[in-house]
């Protein structure tokens, strides 16, 4: 082991100090938040300049980790989707096509004239009444079949004859499908705009027929939230027609965005639209002014290229939300499907526009009906209990490490503290939002950080038995542990990367926390722990080194036969998987409000709100999963307290029955006799079909990535064993939830992702020792070698599981009812993950066998078969 250079020491401690500097503001959350509010007010010119008296020095970082809706609350908007406007646009767009179709039937229908009509209808007068049947048949060709089960066999548009007038309107099934589609599209586009990086953790769900509830943590101003959502961002590229009467009867006239007095006559049929965009980024034009670059998909690029080739020397307009951003003249054929939008942009406006275009255009206008702020969903009682439990758990982990390893445990405790500080600093720097799924990622980070130190200490303990030089023994311990740390963490990093790339919503939030946690764990284990030990050895110069603590009193080597009941243990695991699949298929999962939706109640009282008492009252009638948040608004009277209550669906119906609703209201009135219920509405789930599909795709891709990586680093038998252990852990955990009908919501999804990360970490560490022993003991039977590897890693497996379980048990016992299901899922998963590493993954490797020949022997055998 080489002695660290001055620059290496300076670099390591410099990174640590930088992360501590970034994390420090979170220790003074209220003071820094006040400073940031004052600074924001100064930027908008609404308050006096920020002074030194605001309590936070200007030379310190002021970035904070945003607390999520469940921990802090945030901004609240209730928006109504203008479905009528979409229907009107559809009918307006149909008129030119219908007119062209009817002109071909001029001999039967005579002359045509469009009449004034109610919104969402198209009325056409024909001069020959006897041609009405032919006209209706032509009009019906523009209808599409309704894709929903409720409207199967029907069309979205009907054509009828009303007193000699041809009328096109939406059918009831068509209007219902249109509403569902437009609201669903709006939900996903709003989610992408607000949470493009996956770090905000918003609540976005459908409320009633055509309303969307939007709640975002870390934002106190509804105006800020509305600017994030932005406008409809409908982008199109239209041909510019002649001026005045040369423009034609169908021309539309739109104003210039930068010069409202100037207008353009445009062809209403867009050459390409924003739906053809695949990417959009802020940039600068050739004069250094802010602009926005764009790129079309293959069909859009083809249409754009054909149009520019056919209209060289003619102007075309770039239209955004009914205004012409610019109308450049086409200088040459543009075949690549990419270009640049210029205009009177600031850098912030160019960045905002590119984000809006990447997220896609809202299909309809939004009308904001409510602008509020809300309190934390967990309630202060649950937050206090959870914080207390987290502190107890962290202290217990540190105490366990010190009791187990003595002085080395102190080094691990220091590294763990540094790891948490670095993670907090990085989360602050990127503006991440901390929610229960994020806490799951931090719990996994703690487990991996402790695991890396345990791996190192166990390797050092082995080397101290054979090496006389303390310095060399410590160096070899780090070197031998490196491959296990690298493989276990890289599989986790690969999993996090794929989840972030393919996932969305809370899956992305979990991936960000998990990925950063893995990086900080590797850094502290490989560099910080090593530098601390090296510095201590240089200072004390010990001739001998003994590990003190409880582990020093245990046998240095164990010889447990893990395959004594091979078929019984593996059979028990296989049976558990089969039974779990049967339970999930027959009993189903008890999906919570995040998946199925439910009912939202708005209530008011003039007493001081006690969220904990409300939650207890609802738990008494079996409504433990109700989400209760306090609503704030400056317009409320001083004694007006408003609360929003979301309750999960009953069976297949999202709305609560009248009987259940009465029970809920009676239970709350017993707690607060003055409570009044002002509204009751049906709400959709947080998890849309697209969000669920993306989550499943991300998890599937992560599992496939693990399969490929383990195959590449080990052998194909190891990859099969690792993936089988993952499937075993997740399926059995879901089976337990199905058996006891425990609620499955987004926090449980985060718990399952945590189990996946922990399980692969545990399995890969064991496999790393197996791979090492395969090189060392070429003639040892595979069964004995697997047993030896399991025994050599047993102390590490038990210590890692025990330290993680200590933190989880503290949360399970002291964390309160609200997070109990979440913590139970992770706790059970850690136990079952430890079991699968020992009794599932290795059993599969033993059954499949391993080719013990060297690469040269394999290549020679392969060459001999082809000769």
């Amino acid at each position: 082991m080489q002695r660290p250079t001055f620059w290496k020491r300076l670099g390591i401690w410099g990174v640590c100090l930088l992360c501590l500097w970034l994390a420090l503001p979170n220790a003074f959350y209220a003071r820094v938040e006040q400073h940031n509010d004052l600074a924001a007010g100064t930027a908008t010119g609404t308050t006096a300049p920020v002074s030194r008296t605001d309590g936070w020095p200007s030379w310190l970082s002021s970035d904070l980790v945003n607390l999520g809706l469940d921990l802090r609350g945030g901004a609240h908007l209730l928006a109504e989707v203008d479905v009528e406007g979409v229907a009107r646009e559809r009918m307006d767009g149909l008129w030119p096509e219908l007119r062209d179709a009817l002109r071909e039937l001029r001999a039967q229908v005579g002359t045509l004239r469009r009449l004034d009509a109610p919104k969402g209808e198209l009325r056409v007068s024909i001069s020959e009444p006897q041609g009405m049947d032919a006209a209706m048949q032509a009009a019906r060709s523009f209808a599409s079949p309704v894709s929903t089960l409720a409207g199967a066999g029907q069309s979205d548009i009907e054509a009828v004859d009303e007193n000699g007038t041809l009328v096109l309107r939406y059918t009831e099934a068509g209007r219902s499908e249109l509403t569902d589609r437009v609201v669903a599209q709006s939900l996903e586009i709003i989610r992408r705009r607000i949470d493009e990086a996956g770090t905000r953790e918003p609540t976005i769900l459908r409320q009633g027929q055509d309303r969307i509830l939007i709640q975002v943590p870390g934002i106190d101003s509804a105006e800020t939230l509305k600017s994030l959502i932005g406008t409809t961002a409908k982008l199109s590229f239209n041909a510019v027609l002649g001026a005045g009467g040369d423009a034609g009867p169908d021309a539309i006239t739109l104003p210039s965005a930068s010069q409202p007095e100037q207008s353009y006559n445009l062809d209403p049929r867009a050459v390409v639209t924003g739906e053809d965009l695949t990417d959009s980024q802020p940039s600068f034009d050739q004069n250094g002014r802010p602009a926005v670059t764009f790129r079309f998909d293959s069909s859009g690029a083809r249409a754009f290229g054909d149009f520019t080739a056919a209209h060289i020397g003619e102007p075309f307009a770039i239209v955004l939300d009914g205004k012409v951003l610019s109308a450049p003249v086409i200088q040459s054929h543009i075949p690549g499907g990419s270009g640049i939008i210029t205009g009177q942009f600031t850098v912030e406006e160019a960045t905002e526009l590119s984000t809006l275009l990447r997220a896609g255009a809202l299909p309809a206008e939004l009308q904001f009906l409510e602008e509020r702020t809300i309190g934390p969903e967990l309630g202060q009682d649950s937050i206090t209990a959870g914080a207390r439990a987290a502190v107890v758990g962290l202290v217990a982990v540190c105490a366990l490490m010190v009791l187990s390893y003595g002085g080395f445990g102190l080094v691990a405790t220091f590294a763990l503290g540094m790891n948490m500080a670095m993670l907090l600093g990085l989360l602050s720097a990127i503006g991440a939002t901390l929610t229960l799924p994020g806490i799951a990622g931090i719990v996994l980070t703690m487990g991996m950080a402790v695991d890396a130190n345990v791996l190192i200490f166990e390797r050092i303990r082995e080397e101290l038995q054979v090496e006389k030089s303390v310095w060399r023994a410590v160096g070899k311990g780090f070197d031998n542990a490196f491959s296990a740390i690298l493989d276990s963490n890289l599989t986790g990093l690969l999993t996090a990367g794929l989840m972030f790339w393919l996932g969305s919503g809370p899956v992305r939030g979990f991936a960000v926390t998990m990925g950063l946690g893995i990086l900080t764990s590797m850094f502290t284990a490989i560099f910080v722990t090593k530098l601390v030990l090296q510095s201590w050895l240089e200072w004390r110069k010990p001739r001998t080194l003994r590990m003190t603590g409880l582990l020093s009193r245990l046998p240095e080597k164990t010889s447990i036969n893990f395959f004594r009941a091979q078929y019984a243990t593996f059979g028990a695991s296989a049976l558990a998987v089969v039974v779990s699949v049967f339970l999930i298929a027959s009993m189903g999962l008890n999906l919570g409000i995040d998946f199925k939706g439910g009912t939202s109640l708005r209530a008011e009282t003039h007493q001081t709100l006690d969220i904990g008492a409300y939650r207890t009252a609802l738990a008494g009638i079996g409504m433990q999963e109700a989400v209760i948040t306090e609503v704030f608004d400056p317009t409320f009277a001083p004694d007006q307290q408003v609360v929003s209550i979301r309750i999960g669906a009953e069976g297949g119906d999202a709305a609560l029955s009248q009987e259940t609703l009465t029970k809920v209201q009676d239970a709350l009135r017993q707690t607060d006799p003055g409570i009044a219920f002002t509204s009751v509405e049906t709400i959709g789930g947080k998890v849309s079909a697209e969000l669920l599909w993306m989550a499943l795709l991300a998890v599937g891709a992560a599992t496939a990535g693990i399969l490929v990586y383990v195959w590449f680093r080990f052998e194909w038998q190891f990859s099969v064993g690792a993936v089988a252990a993952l499937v075993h852990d997740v399926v059995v955990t879901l089976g337990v939830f199905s058996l006891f009908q425990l609620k499955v919501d987004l926090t449980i999804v985060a718990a399952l992702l945590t189990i996946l990360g922990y399980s692969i970490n545990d399995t890969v560490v064991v496999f790393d020792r197996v791979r090492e022993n395969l090189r060392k003991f070429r003639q040892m039977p595979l069964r004995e070698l697997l047993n030896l590897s399991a025994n050599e890693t047993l102390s590490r497996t038990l210590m890692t599981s025990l330290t993680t379980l200590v933190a989880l048990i503290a949360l399970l016992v002291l964390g309160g009812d609200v997070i109990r299901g979440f913590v139970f899922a992770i706790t059970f998963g850690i136990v079952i993950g430890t079991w699968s590493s020992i009794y599932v993954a290795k059993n599969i490797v033993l059954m499949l066998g391993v080719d013990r020949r060297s690469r040269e022997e394999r290549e020679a055998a392969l060459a001999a078969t082809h000769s």
Side-chain angles (χ1 to χ4, degrees), residues 90-332:
R90 170 78 187 280
M91 291 302 167
D92 290 342
L94 273 180
W95 165 237
E97 299 180 49
L98 177 62
R99 182 191 59 202
D100 293 343
L102 293 179
R103 279 176 176 171
E104 296 178 3
L105 303 173
R106 184 181 296 274
Q108 301 177 57
V109 302
T111 58
L112 312 173
R113 184 165 58 92
R114 183 178 180 181
L115 305 176
D116 292 335
K119 293 181 180 179
E121 285 190 6
L122 175 61
R123 293 177 176 264
V124 180
S125 170
I126 61 176
S127 61
E128 300 294 339
Q130 63 270 22
M132 182 60 72
D133 289 340
M136 287 195 296
Q137 186 174 353
R140 286 169 183 151
S141 66
F142 295 102
S144 302
V146 174
S147 58
T148 61
L149 291 176
Q154 301 183 54
S155 297
D156 62 340
I157 293 174
E158 63 179 358
V160 296
D161 176 9
E162 290 189 358
N163 301 321
T165 300
L166 175 62
V167 179
L168 270 71
R169 64 167 70 97
Y170 275 93
T171 63
E172 186 175 343
R175 178 57 63 95
S176 177
E177 183 196 36
L178 175 69
T179 301
D180 290 343
R181 175 168 51 82
V182 170
V183 173
Q185 288 177 352
S186 300
L187 277 168
E188 291 308 319
I189 291 168
I190 291 170
R191 189 187 311 279
R192 287 199 291 266
R193 289 183 179 182
I194 291 175
D195 197 29
E196 186 180 27
T199 57
R200 285 191 182 273
E201 301 281 356
T203 290
I204 303 170
L205 49 86
R206 182 174 180 175
Q207 182 166 315
Q209 280 294 107
D210 55 0
R211 294 179 179 182
I212 297 177
L213 177 67
I214 308 161
Q215 296 175 341
V216 182
I219 298 177
D220 294 327
S221 166
E223 289 300 322
T224 304
L225 179 53
K226 286 197 288 187
S227 69
L228 272 176
I229 296 171
T231 57
T232 53
K234 286 188 177 179
L235 180 73
S236 63
F237 295 77
N238 300 63
V240 178
L241 303 177
D246 297 333
D250 294 332
I252 56 173
T253 303
L254 297 180
S256 168
S258 57
Q259 298 175 313
E261 68 279 359
Q262 182 179 357
S263 61
Y264 296 85
N265 295 321
L266 308 178
D267 189 327
R269 293 165 295 189
V271 178
V272 283
T273 67
E275 294 181 3
D276 301 307
L277 280 180
T278 59
D279 191 25
S280 177
Q281 297 292 336
S283 183
F284 293 91
D285 64 14
Q286 57 189 3
N287 298 316
R289 292 173 300 194
V292 176
T293 60
F294 60 85
R295 187 172 68 252
F296 293 120
D297 59 18
S298 56
S299 61
R302 192 181 310 112
F304 189 66
D306 293 345
F307 178 81
T308 55
H311 296 81
I312 294 175
E314 299 178 14
F316 78 108
I318 303 172
V319 182
L320 179 71
D321 288 336
K323 294 183 179 180
V324 178
L325 292 178
S326 61
V329 175
I330 301 171
Q331 302 293 339
S332 62

Side-chain angles (χ1 to χ4, degrees), residues 599-601 603 614 617-619 621-623 626 628 645-648 650 656-671 675 677 680:
T599 299
S600 173
L601 287 79
Y614 287 2
L618 293 178
I621 57 171
M623 303 285 179
I628 308 173
I645 305 166
R646 298 203 297 270
I647 300 174
E650 293 181 307
L656 291 180
S657 65
Q658 187 59 46
E659 180 184 355
T660 305
L661 189 59
T662 302
K663 284 173 58 179
V664 169
Q665 292 174 340
D666 290 344
L668 292 174
R669 285 193 182 103
Q670 289 178 9
T671 301
I675 195 169
F677 298 93
V680 179

